[in-house]
Amino acid sequence: AKGQGKGRFSFFTPSLQADALNRLRLSSELAGVLESGQLRVYFQPIVELSTNNIFKAEALLRWIHPARGMISPMTFIPLAEETGHIIPIGEWVLHESVRWLKRWNQLSHGGFQISVNKSPIQFRSGDSADVLWVSHLKENGLSGRNLCVEITESLLLNTDETTSRKLFSFRDAGIQVSIDDFGTGYSSLSYLKKFDIDYLKIDQSFVRNMASDPSDYALCEAIVVMAHKLGLKVIAEGVETLEQRDLLLKIGCDFGQGYYFSRPIPGEELDSMLTQNSGY
Ligand code: C2E
Ligand code: CA
Ligand code: CA
Ligand code: CA
């Protein structure tokens, strides 16, 4: 670090150095992570609030590291985006999802849907992979409607050619699209119409305080009203209490997802949950 005086900024503190080293190590381990068998896809049920039915789940990545334990996707996804490893990892998430989809779709008589997260990096890479996504669904007796892609608002603010083309080809294949973390970005609502979006996911930061903060409550309500007028369904994220669930049902929110219902769990666990209390 340069500069000597009081109040100077130090850019190279020991902890930053350790952090950089840590990132470097993780990045190199990411290269072999698929082969290592340390990645898991967990699934978190998305519950229809008016019926308690589970016809949807979100696929969420977990890295179970032999020395470091569970590494959060918030740590390793940004690294995987920087290094490009997110592309093969994303393909693997789809394949794991399709493996379970076959079973859960049969259990629910054709109505199951898994949501996968897709980062802008995955959109901006060439499109051959996305054609394969559609054929992979078909080969497994599934249709586009069995898959939903979760994207963030920022992707739609600066859409390049490739991104738009992919979004439209998803729509043509019947694959649905959710806006994740809705309300946290700099929204320009015109994109909701332009890209034929299917779901808005209210960000958990609004759901967290909706019982105590009238403006968060109003915000959730306004999102539901607007979405419904535009023909979109709403999923509330981060539902942790019965009170939140009841308020969401009261304002007409369609789906809830959160620890109140279930944490993200391995496919085997969701499978037994679905077979045990299936009201299908
Ligand atoms: P996200 O898509 O917004 O996922 C929701 C996050 O909220 C998940 O964190 C989930 O475990 C957590 N969550 C669910 N219910 C509750 C709740 O009731 N309370 C609280 N406090 N949290 C709850 P997670 O699994 O750590 O994932 C973090 C982020 O990593 C995701 O945020 C997503 O952006 C990214 N991610 C995860 N898997 C993938 C993937 O396969 N591909 C890509 N591109 N990104 C992924
Ligand atoms: Ca998501
Ligand atoms: Ca989210
Ligand atoms: Ca649509």
Side-chain angles (χ1 to χ4, degrees), residues 182-184 202-210 216 220 237-238:
F182 186 78
T184 58
I202 305 179
D203 189 65
Q204 40 187 279
S205 61
F206 303 120
V207 175
R208 189 174 304 130
N209 301 317
M210 73 178 295
D216 281 345
C220 292
E237 293 188 329

Side-chain angles (χ1 to χ4, degrees), residues 171 175-177 196-198:
R171 188 195 56 186
I175 294 173
Q176 299 204 303
V177 178
D196 187 20
I197 303 300
D198 299 287

Side-chain angles (χ1 to χ4, degrees), residues 50-122:
S50 61
T51 61
N52 287 322
N53 280 331
I54 301 170
F55 285 106
K56 299 180 193 296
E58 178 175 4
L60 291 160
L61 267 168
R62 296 289 177 266
W63 183 355
I64 300 162
H65 192 282
R68 300 162 196 249
M70 185 101 86
I71 305 174
S72 163
M74 313 259 250
T75 307
F76 74 84
I77 301 264
L79 285 177
E81 289 175 345
E82 280 171 36
T83 57
H85 291 117
I86 191 66
I87 308 286
I89 291 174
E91 299 301 293
W92 181 77
V93 170
L94 178 78
H95 281 246
E96 284 294 291
S97 300
V98 163
R99 204 160 64 76
W100 287 108
L101 254 179
K102 278 164 79 170
R103 195 176 143 73
W104 297 336
N105 197 46
Q106 231 161 31
L107 268 181
S108 68
H109 309 295
F112 211 88
Q113 184 177 69
I114 290 180
S115 292
V116 299
N117 293 282
K118 219 171 165 188
S119 66
I121 306 288
Q122 292 170 273

Side-chain angles (χ1 to χ4, degrees), residues 34-36 42 50 56 66 72 84 95 98 109 121 123 133-134 137 140 159 190 197-198 203 230 236 244 246 280:
L34 279 175
E35 291 70 33
S36 76
Y42 276 31
S50 61
K56 299 180 193 296
S72 163
H95 281 246
V98 163
H109 309 295
I121 306 288
F123 269 95
W133 278 39
V134 176
L137 285 169
N140 284 279
T159 35
S190 58
I197 303 300
D198 299 287
D203 189 65
L230 292 170
Q244 289 163 352
D246 288 345
Y280 298 137

Side-chain angles (χ1 to χ4, degrees), residues 164-232:
S164 311
R165 198 171 54 243
K166 284 188 185 183
L167 281 169
F168 287 124
S169 74
F170 279 161
R171 188 195 56 186
D172 294 343
I175 294 173
Q176 299 204 303
V177 178
S178 280
I179 306 290
D180 211 347
D181 308 333
F182 186 78
T184 58
Y186 296 92
S187 314
S188 139
L189 297 173
S190 58
Y191 66 66
L192 295 178
K193 201 173 156 222
K194 183 170 168 204
F195 291 109
D196 187 20
I197 303 300
D198 299 287
Y199 300 95
L200 297 185
K201 295 191 82 170
I202 305 179
D203 189 65
Q204 40 187 279
S205 61
F206 303 120
V207 175
R208 189 174 304 130
N209 301 317
M210 73 178 295
S212 56
D213 184 337
S215 59
D216 281 345
Y217 179 87
L219 231 144
C220 292
E221 195 175 28
I223 291 174
V224 171
V225 169
M226 179 199 64
H228 285 171
K229 290 213 163 155
L230 292 170
L232 312 178

